[in-house]
Structures are given as C-alpha cells and as structure tokens.
Amino acid sequence: MRTNNRIWNMLSKLGIFVLAFGLITACSQKSENESKTADLVYVNWAEGIAYTNLAKVVLEDKMGYEVEITSAGVGPAYTAVANGDADAFMETWLPTLHADYVEQYQEDIIDLGTVYEGTQSGLVVPTYVEIDKISELNAVSDKFNGEITGIDAGAGIMKTTNEVIEDYNLDYELVQSSGPAMTSALKKAYENQEPIVVTGWKPHWMFGSFDLKFLEQDEDMMKWKTGSIHIMGRKDLQEDKPELATFLSNMHLTDAELADLMVQINESDESNEVVAKEWLANNEEVIADWIPEGNMESEM
C-alpha cells in the first residue's frame, strides 16, 4: 500500500511539473511572438513613406519581425500611439510643427530620438517666380489665384501657414489637399511655367526634381525654423518591446541617404517596399548600426 502511495505521489509531482513546464513554455512562446511584431504609423509624406518602408524591410528581413505599417493623418497618428493602439509614430517634426501634439500627449508617448536632422519648412515657389519674400505675396495674389496649395488638414504646416496668413494679412486661401495632390499640382504648374505657391518642406524629393525656393520670412515674424524629425513611441514600448525601441532609436539617415531613397521611390513603378528592398541591398552599411546586438536574424 505504501508503495502504491509513493508511486501515486511521484506521478502527481511529475504531472504538476509537466503542466508547469507547459505553461512556462507557452508563456515564453507567446512573449517571444509578441516581441517580434511592430505596428508603425506614418503620415503620407514622401520622406516618411520612404524610411518607414525601409524600417519595415529591415525589421522583417534582418530581424525576423512581422511588421504592419499604416498611413494616417497627423492627429489620428498621435492618438493611436498615445492610446497604445500602435507602437510608434514615425514622423514628429520638432521644434515647431508638432510641438502642440507633443505637449498634448507628453504623458503617453516617449521620444525615441531623431531619424533625420536639418528639416526646413515654409511656403515654396518655383525659382522662375519673381518674388522672394512672403511679404511680397499680396502684390501678386491675382497671378496665384489667391491660393496656397496645402496638404492634409491635420498637418502642422497647415496650422502654421494659417498663422502666417493672419500675421502677414495675406489675401490668400489655404487649400487643403494631400502630399501627393500638392506635388501633382506643383508638377503640372512647373511644366507649364505657371505661378504656384505650396506648403513645402525638406527633406522632399520635389527639391531634387524641380528648381524651387522657400519664400523668405521677415526677421521679426519668423514662424518656421530648421529642426529635426523624431520617432515617438508609446510610453510602455521600452518595457514591452525593448529591441524594437532600440532599433527605432538607432535609425538615422543623412540628407544624401534619404534623398537617394526618396528619389528612387518616386521614380520607380515598383511598390515602395520593393524599392526599399533594392535600396537596402545596395546600402547595407547604412543600417548596420540600427540593429541591436544579437538581433540580426543570422545571429539568432
């Protein structure tokens, strides 16, 4: 009888061990799977499209991630990250354009660092347009049909352009469109050598395709300043997905690197992801420092 009890106790302990091992393994696999996903939000602007697709390709091909990238307006993008519905917003312009959003969501997002430095934004015209200053726009409003061609309504540059219209008492209407619609209107006007003024920014492929200039601001009415593009993560990203957070913090492109990627995407008939893969194949050294140690798929 005592022997039977011992056997029963051993089997019970073995069963508990097997059950515990199974639970630990399942939890471990679940955790590993969760750490290998990335949900990135970007705005439908040329530079963000370019390097967000590049990030997707690197994460998937080099680090074994499953990546979803989603285009959204600026306001919804911040809301998605602040609510924890997305891991990171890929395009925060500081110190000016998105300052209000960063202040609004400062408790729910974290700054993962700069992906590009040397941004510039403002009102842009082709170089064949004779005026050079914002303060000269009213004198030629008839030539521009009294319109400034803008992008999506939630963009920071739309807000600051409306402030400029008020500050300079410009007799112009800011027309809402989108990044692609704005560049399409610019291309059409440029080919016909017609006057046009748009909301523009650097980095952007349009400066490599057309001869353009920023209209100068008055010294005492400076609205736009040079700055940098940051990546913002949800507040608990570092704890949940430390490798992804480190990767996003390591991302950085020079003006020449980003311009080259953007021009190739703009001039290709292939999908953005396919072009990003091709660009990566020829620029492996650029992303070598982005991947956290031990996370290269061949090292795992």
Side-chain angles (χ1 to χ4, degrees), residues 70-224:
T70 305
S71 173
V74 175
Y78 276 103
T79 301
V81 175
N83 289 342
D85 296 328
D87 290 321
F89 175 42
M90 301 296 285
E91 188 154 4
T92 291
W93 284 54
L94 293 175
T96 305
L97 287 184
H98 293 169
D100 290 347
Y101 287 107
V102 172
E103 181 177 0
Q104 179 181 352
Y105 295 111
Q106 58 182 314
E107 300 297 328
D108 300 309
I109 60 177
I110 54 171
D111 189 346
L112 296 172
T114 57
V115 64
Y116 175 87
E117 296 175 356
T119 59
Q120 186 176 358
S121 55
L123 298 183
V124 174
V125 297
T127 53
Y128 58 74
V129 171
E130 294 180 354
I131 64 170
D132 296 312
K133 301 178 180 179
I134 293 175
S135 58
E136 297 171 334
L137 275 169
N138 273 347
V140 291
S141 62
D142 289 345
K143 293 183 179 180
F144 291 93
N145 294 321
E147 293 183 349
I148 298 172
T149 302
I151 55 175
D152 51 293
I157 196 170
M158 295 293 281
K159 178 176 181 292
T160 50
T161 298
N162 275 317
E163 293 172 356
V164 165
I165 289 173
E166 184 175 346
D167 291 347
Y168 286 81
N169 195 27
L170 297 179
D171 187 21
Y172 282 76
E173 177 186 1
L174 177 58
V175 180
Q176 176 186 339
S177 63
S178 65
M182 179 272 288
T183 53
S184 178
L186 175 62
K187 182 174 184 291
K188 181 179 179 181
Y190 192 87
E191 290 174 346
N192 295 321
Q193 296 287 285
E194 296 172 344
I196 185 170
V197 54
V198 303
T199 55
W201 62 92
K202 276 187 172 181
H204 197 292
W205 60 263
M206 65 184 182
F207 284 92
S209 299
F210 313 119
D211 291 326
L212 303 172
K213 60 185 178 184
F214 283 96
L215 290 179
E216 298 173 13
Q217 305 172 73
D218 292 356
E219 288 291 335
D220 59 343
M221 300 173 70
M222 295 289 288
K223 183 65 67 178
W224 293 295

